[in-house]
Amino acid sequence: MEISTRDLVTVLHGMGFGALFMLAFSGAMAELYRMSASAAATRPSSREQTLLAVYLIGMVVLAWLTVFSGAYIVYPWYRAVPPAGVTDLSEYPRRLLLSSGRTSEWHNVGMEWKEHVSWLAPIAMTMVAYVALKYRRAITRPRRMRTAVLGFAAAAFVATGIAGAFGAFLNKYAPVRGGSVIVLMESEK
Amino acid sequence: MSTTQPRGGTGRDTDSLPNGPAAAAILAAGIGCGAVGILAFAGDASDSVGRLLNIYNPTGTLSGVTTLAIIIWLVAWFALNRLWRTRNLDTGGIYVAAFALLAVGFLLTFPPFMDLLQGK
């Protein structure tokens, strides 16, 4: 069982950072909603507030790690230009997709949207974390603040979903390959 | 997060905070998201703008689009926060503007919409 360094970094970008960030959304949305529900009769304890702070800051860090690792590590591999005369495009995903009319729109629509829209998520989530941690329960006052914060959190989820879904499809049609090989396990046969 | 405590429990009092800092953060996030869309569109529509935005060649135009958008977002946040940090604002219009800019961010990064605007 082996994996290339590029595969490993791509998995870390998509599953380690991106998917973990997406998984964290349900917890964040539920807690933000519960915390800001005007009918709530209780106020979070300092321990709960600390946990929420760690959770939201963790989400912000994951969001930024996802977009920076994608844009500055994985994307340059994706858009690498093959040397003249190379006919095997398997290590040049962008060129591989563009080489056929049946796959070119995965790049022209999928990658072009993914590479930009994903950046809305960390911007929105940083704001959500800042406002939630600064105002805590007071984000119900006035109600518009809660609506805005939850709206931007939902937008960050949608942006991440778009980027993640296209990332998964792109990895099916033109995976980022190459780099040195890491042997994880070897059969004795 | 299983334990809660009654009203008036621990923690600083956030009820008396003005809404200005929140409004600044929310509008700045909208400006940042809108900037991503506008810069992505500009880089796509104009080759010369695209070349200007190419500040790190392995990543191409995306490097300039996102770096500039982050700078615009942070500068807007800093400036709006300085302006509004002690104020209580009527935030209705501010939040509508923030969501409109967020929508700009989504639409102008969507390639078929970019193409539509460019008449392609």
Side-chain angles (χ1 to χ4, degrees):
Chain A
M1 188 162 77
E2 58 186 33
I3 189 168
S4 74
T5 48
R6 290 185 182 184
D7 279 323
L8 185 64
V9 173
T10 305
V11 167
L12 192 65
H13 157 71
M15 296 296 293
F17 303 145
L20 199 56
F21 175 62
M22 276 205 87
L23 279 173
F25 262 105
S26 54
M29 292 293 276
E31 183 57 20
L32 285 172
Y33 188 81
R34 188 193 69 84
M35 183 180 80
S36 63
S38 54
T42 55
R43 190 175 283 232
S45 66
S46 54
R47 182 173 168 272
E48 286 178 323
Q49 289 174 6
T50 305
L51 277 174
L52 180 65
V54 169
Y55 194 90
L56 290 176
I57 291 166
M59 284 185 73
V60 170
V61 170
L62 281 173
W64 285 110
L65 280 173
T66 307
V67 292
F68 274 107
S69 63
Y72 290 97
I73 302 175
V74 179
Y75 188 55
W77 293 333
Y78 169 85
R79 69 192 294 271
V81 178
V86 168
T87 53
D88 178 8
L89 297 175
S90 60
E91 290 193 12
Y92 304 92
R94 178 173 178 270
R95 292 302 173 100
L96 180 63
L97 291 173
L98 293 174
S99 66
S100 163
R102 296 174 69 177
T103 55
S104 59
E105 294 312 288
W106 282 114
H107 170 78
N108 293 332
V109 176
M111 183 48 115
E112 292 285 341
W113 198 16
K114 165 190 163 61
E115 74 189 40
H116 292 113
V117 80
S118 57
W119 288 81
L120 307 189
I123 293 173
M125 205 57 218
T126 303
M127 177 279 285
V128 168
Y130 168 79
V131 176
L133 298 179
K134 186 173 180 67
Y135 288 85
R136 300 181 181 169
R137 274 201 80 254
I139 63 174
T140 52
R141 181 193 53 81
R143 189 185 169 89
R144 284 175 187 157
M145 195 192 293
R146 180 180 77 162
T147 306
V149 166
L150 291 175
F152 267 82
F157 179 76
V158 171
T160 309
I162 292 166
F166 276 117
F169 282 120
L170 285 159
N171 206 42
K172 282 275 183 196
Y173 289 100
V176 172
R177 294 252 188 260
S180 53
V181 171
I182 302 164
V183 178
L184 300 171
M185 277 186 220
E186 209 159 355
S187 165
E188 289 181 6
K189 285 181 184 175
Chain B
M1 301 199 185
S2 57
T3 59
T4 53
Q5 71 183 63
R7 273 183 185 282
T10 61
R12 62 193 167 85
D13 178 25
T14 54
D15 290 343
S16 57
L17 283 173
N19 66 7
I26 292 165
L27 182 56
I31 290 169
C33 293
V36 171
I38 291 165
L39 290 166
F41 177 73
D44 187 64
S46 160
D47 286 343
S48 55
V49 174
R51 277 193 297 275
L52 275 176
L53 290 170
N54 185 2
I55 59 174
Y56 176 64
N57 202 45
T59 300
T61 306
L62 178 65
S63 59
V65 168
T66 54
T67 302
L68 205 52
I70 289 170
I71 291 169
I72 290 168
W73 164 52
L74 293 176
V75 168
W77 192 355
F78 178 78
L80 290 169
N81 191 62
R82 284 201 62 147
L83 207 60
W84 293 344
R85 67 187 162 190
T86 57
R87 294 177 59 186
N88 263 310
L89 303 157
D90 179 10
T91 52
I94 293 170
Y95 295 159
V96 168
F99 278 107
L101 287 162
L102 178 63
V104 166
F106 272 99
L107 280 174
L108 288 184
T109 56
F110 185 50
F113 190 76
M114 282 185 186
D115 293 345
L116 186 73
L117 291 183
Q118 294 173 61
K120 285 184 184 171

